């Protein structure tokens, strides 16, 4: 039983295998006649659509379920929902507020569980991130990825994936929004090089990729005014991109244009954001092909 709660639930060899399956021409029909439940406690554009299309391409039937409808831990427990869905579906994907909810689903251990974003991790995004970097540069190894902004779920999964594939990760965040020692130890356990700093200009200098995400993640809306002030110097604009000396720009999206990134960057020739968004589907298909039986 394979669960994917964070990207380092895969070995490096498995991660490489998933990425090669993502690039394969003929999707194996591992979900023929089967379903996948997709439970969302938070909104989604890319994750829902990429997962639904990936399931379809693998011969299966996706069922989208709003968290408010099933009421995880309010209408019935996470475990009871999981046991019920496992009777209908070959796999369960879930986007949740607390990471512990996907851990509890995985602990039921009836069908594979895929984390579709929690407060701690976004592994399906990280798969697409490294797939996009590989398509751009041929490999992640030796490439420098400069993440600018809040050290969050996206940063954590991206940093792990980059480290597993031999890349260099630089993370520029305000002092109170940096990773602590536990996170840095986990990132370094991949064998990858990780550098943290407060100055975004130091982070992007000579980088191959500049990566950005929102300052206020879903669930943190009460802090958004404060975060706008704290992160004022972390907007990826034309000047910062120019300082990189030729990096490409990635963003998991949705972008809050004018906050963490300017229009001129999202819409510039250096931007690969639409490619990255499309790669969510290819990465999802590669992962499900791996987890549901294609060897
Ligand atoms: N990047 C991402 O996960 O987008 P959605 O929130 O729209 O799914
Ligand atoms: N860090 C963001 C990512 C959205 C895809 C959030 O959790 O809202």
């Amino acid at each position: 039983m394979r669960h994917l709660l964070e990207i380092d639930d895969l070995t490096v060899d498995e991660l490489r295998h998933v990425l090669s399956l993502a690039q394969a021409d003929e999707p194996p029909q591992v979900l023929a006649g089967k379903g996948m439940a997709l439970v969302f406690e938070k909104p989604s554009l890319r994750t829902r659509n990429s997962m639904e299309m990936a399931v379809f391409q693998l011969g299966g039937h996706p069922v989208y379920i709003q968290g408010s409808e099933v009421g995880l831990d309010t209408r019935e427990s996470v475990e009871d929902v999981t046991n019920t869905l496992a009777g209908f579906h070959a796999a369960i994907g879930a986007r949740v507020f607390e990471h512990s909810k996907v851990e509890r689903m995985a602990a039921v251990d009836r069908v594979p569980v895929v984390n579709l974003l929690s407060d701690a991790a976004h592994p399906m995004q990280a798969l697409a991130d490294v797939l996009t970097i590989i398509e751009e540069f041929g490999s992640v190894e030796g490439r420098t990825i400069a993440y600018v902004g809040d050290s969050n779920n996206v940063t954590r999964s991206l940093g792990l994936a980059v480290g597993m594939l031999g890349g260099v990760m630089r993370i520029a965040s305000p002092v109170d929004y940096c990773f602590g020692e536990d996170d840095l130890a986990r990132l370094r356990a991949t064998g990858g090089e990780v550098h943290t700093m407060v100055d975004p200009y130091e982070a992007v200098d000579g980088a191959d990729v500049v990566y950005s995400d929102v300052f206020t993640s879903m669930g943190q809306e009460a802090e958004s005014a404060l975060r706008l002030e704290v992160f004022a110097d972390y907007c990826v604009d034309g000047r910062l991109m120019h300082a990189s000396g030729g990096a490409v720009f990635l963003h998991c999206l949705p972008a809050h244009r004018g906050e963490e990134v300017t229009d001129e960057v999202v819409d510039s020739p250096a931007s690969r954001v639409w490619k990255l968004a499309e790669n969510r589907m290819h990465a999802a298909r590669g992962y499900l092909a791996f987890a549901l039986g294609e060897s």
Side-chain angles (χ1 to χ4, degrees):
M1 185 73 62
R2 295 308 304 253
H3 305 294
L4 187 73
L5 306 189
E6 179 53 292
I7 201 76
D8 59 359
D9 289 338
L10 296 169
T11 66
V12 172
D13 284 347
E14 287 170 344
L15 173 56
R16 291 188 193 281
H17 184 45
V18 167
L19 293 169
S20 71
L21 287 169
Q23 294 175 306
D25 287 335
E26 297 281 325
Q29 298 300 289
V30 294
L31 276 168
K34 298 177 183 171
M36 179 165 186
L38 301 169
V39 182
F40 284 82
E41 284 194 307
K42 304 176 185 177
S44 171
L45 174 62
R46 283 142 289 270
T47 306
R48 176 184 176 178
N49 278 274
S50 61
M51 292 302 296
E52 289 205 14
M53 287 309 299
V55 170
F56 169 75
Q57 289 167 359
L58 295 168
H61 178 72
V63 176
Y64 170 75
I65 302 159
Q66 271 191 341
S68 57
E69 190 181 346
V70 290
L72 295 175
D73 281 342
T74 52
R75 188 166 185 265
E76 55 193 318
S77 73
V78 166
E79 287 76 12
D80 288 2
V81 170
T82 306
N83 268 307
T84 304
L85 292 174
F88 305 135
H89 296 284
I92 300 172
R95 167 168 286 197
V96 295
F97 285 98
E98 302 89 5
H99 189 73
S100 58
K101 282 187 180 151
V102 281
E103 290 176 332
R104 286 165 58 199
M105 285 181 166
V108 172
D109 214 29
R110 293 258 316 265
V111 293
V113 171
V114 183
N115 179 6
L116 302 181
L117 182 147
S118 65
D119 54 359
H122 198 1
M124 299 305 282
Q125 179 67 50
L127 283 177
D129 295 338
V130 290
L131 182 62
T132 307
I133 294 168
I134 289 167
E135 285 180 358
E136 183 71 27
F137 298 105
S139 92
V140 176
E141 192 171 6
R143 296 292 170 182
T144 297
I145 287 70
Y147 178 92
V148 176
D150 186 26
S151 294
N152 64 15
N153 46 5
V154 167
T155 330
R156 190 174 286 112
S157 298
L158 171 68
L160 288 168
V162 166
M164 287 168 76
L165 297 175
V168 177
M169 190 76 191
R170 294 186 197 149
I171 305 171
S173 301
V175 272
D176 292 333
Y177 297 81
C178 302
F179 283 144
E181 281 311 314
D182 287 355
D183 273 312
L184 292 176
R186 188 169 177 182
L187 290 177
R188 290 188 175 121
T190 62
E193 221 182 288
V194 188
H195 305 278
T196 59
M197 54 209 74
V198 292
D199 181 2
Y201 282 87
E202 184 187 345
V204 304
D205 183 21
D208 298 293
V209 177
V210 173
Y211 198 113
S212 171
D213 184 17
V214 292
F215 297 150
T216 303
S217 287
M218 292 179 279
Q220 298 174 330
E221 288 79 5
E223 301 170 24
S224 64
L226 168 68
R227 283 172 171 268
L228 272 181
E229 279 179 36
V230 170
F231 287 96
D233 294 335
Y234 292 80
C235 178
V236 178
D237 56 15
R239 187 166 155 251
L240 190 66
M241 286 302 292
H242 186 258
S244 75
V248 298
F249 174 73
L250 294 178
H251 190 305
C252 57
L253 303 177
H256 292 179
R257 289 166 178 254
E259 293 185 13
E260 78 278 0
V261 63
T262 58
D263 286 338
E264 65 174 333
V265 172
V266 179
D267 301 326
S268 72
S271 173
R272 301 289 181 272
V273 298
W274 311 127
K275 185 69 193 157
L276 174 55
E278 180 189 324
N279 277 342
R280 291 293 310 275
M281 176 177 73
H282 304 307
R285 193 179 60 244
Y287 178 71
L288 293 176
F290 161 78
L292 297 168
E294 179 70 6
S295 61

